[in-house]
Amino acid sequence: MSKESRVIRISESIFTRLQSHAEPLVDTPATVIEKLLDYYEEFKKNNRRNKEINLTQENSIIKKINPDYPPDLRYTKPKKIIIDWDKAEDYYDEHEIENWHQIVAIINRIAREEFNSFEALKKLTAFQIKPGIFTNNGFVYDKKWGDEDFPFSIQRVEANKAWLGSLEMAKKLNRKIEIHFKWLDNEKAAFPGEEGILSWSPDENSQPLAWE
């Protein structure tokens, strides 16, 4: 049984345009229209898919970063730290994390909790530290994360060294560490305006980093 057909009327100019897309001795007006409809529908579908992909990319600006090989962390601001420490809530709130040195201070304070001597801490830390309170040559004593009974000062470092040093210490201590941060809207930043997560957990590595 043949398919039902309908009669449509088109202008001479449109018919001429259809002829320009027809394959001689093969196409009829109906097959040319069908080809044009197929092309249009496929184009529309692909265009919608591309818009969905672009929207997903725009909304998915949080980058999960390889902790051992991060991109340039200069021009970044940490927003939150998650770390395996039972006293974390007593010493800091995620909204108080404003710079990388605070993260360095926290990981060193955790190490301080495990050792009772400056020499032991000095062997473990990845940073330059001095016993006592110093405020010169880049050294800082942070009252928030310091210890009045065991004061020590830490020399400030830039963001890349702050993260890699903190990661090294977390591995030695065998503790999870996770930093949420944002690149500033600066043309020199690796990913201006975007956010990232740096994370390491003992669950992802069977053995803690050895140290002496």
Side-chain angles (χ1 to χ4, degrees):
M1 184 175 180
S2 61
K3 295 182 180 179
E4 292 186 7
S5 60
R6 295 179 182 273
V7 176
I8 60 173
R9 297 183 182 278
I10 58 175
S11 67
E12 186 67 29
S13 61
I14 292 179
F15 184 80
T16 301
R17 290 175 64 188
L18 286 175
Q19 281 184 314
S20 68
H21 295 289
E23 186 177 346
L25 304 179
V26 175
D27 282 323
T28 65
T31 59
V32 175
I33 292 173
E34 184 177 20
K35 287 180 179 179
L36 291 173
L37 286 172
D38 288 344
Y39 178 84
Y40 172 76
E41 289 170 354
E42 185 65 23
F43 173 82
K44 189 175 181 180
K45 182 170 64 177
N46 289 335
N47 191 47
R48 182 171 60 250
R49 186 183 301 119
N50 289 335
K51 286 182 178 179
E52 290 172 353
I53 291 173
N54 290 336
L55 181 61
T56 300
Q57 290 175 340
E58 289 174 3
N59 292 335
S60 300
I61 60 174
I62 299 180
K63 298 179 179 295
K64 184 67 183 296
I65 296 168
N66 184 325
D68 294 294
Y69 303 99
D72 192 349
L73 297 175
R74 290 176 299 174
Y75 304 101
T76 59
K77 176 181 173 61
K79 300 171 59 181
K80 177 180 178 181
I81 178 173
I82 301 172
I83 196 162
D84 182 15
W85 188 28
D86 56 0
K87 296 183 179 180
E89 294 183 358
D90 297 333
Y91 283 91
Y92 70 89
D93 181 272
E94 65 182 58
H95 301 295
E96 295 178 331
I97 303 301
E98 298 179 348
N99 57 63
W100 287 96
H101 184 76
Q102 291 175 334
I103 292 169
V104 171
I106 290 170
I107 193 70
N108 276 275
R109 178 57 192 265
I110 293 172
R112 152 71 185 94
E113 293 288 329
E114 295 201 8
F115 304 99
N116 293 319
S117 75
F118 178 80
E119 290 304 318
L121 176 60
K122 190 173 182 179
K123 287 182 179 180
L124 182 139
T125 187
F127 303 93
Q128 294 294 320
I129 62 174
K130 286 184 177 183
I133 299 174
F134 289 87
T135 57
N136 58 347
N137 296 324
F139 281 88
V140 178
Y141 172 74
D142 198 317
K143 293 181 180 180
K144 177 69 176 178
W145 294 284
D147 187 337
E148 294 181 356
D149 298 327
F150 184 20
F152 61 93
S153 302
I154 310 170
Q155 192 172 43
R156 287 184 178 275
V157 294
E158 52 90 21
N160 293 289
K161 292 181 179 179
W163 164 249
L164 292 175
S166 297
L167 174 63
E168 178 184 332
M169 291 184 67
K171 289 180 177 181
K172 289 178 178 179
L173 294 166
N174 206 33
R175 293 174 184 263
K176 174 184 177 178
I177 184 171
E178 182 174 306
I179 309 297
H180 296 233
F181 68 95
K182 182 176 182 178
W183 276 279
L184 303 179
D185 288 318
N186 188 308
E187 62 180 9
K188 295 182 179 180
F191 301 97
E194 296 192 27
E195 297 184 19
I197 297 176
L198 289 158
S199 178
W200 181 87
S201 171
D203 297 336
E204 302 167 5
N205 196 347
S206 58
Q207 296 295 329
L209 186 66
W211 64 283
E212 297 179 355

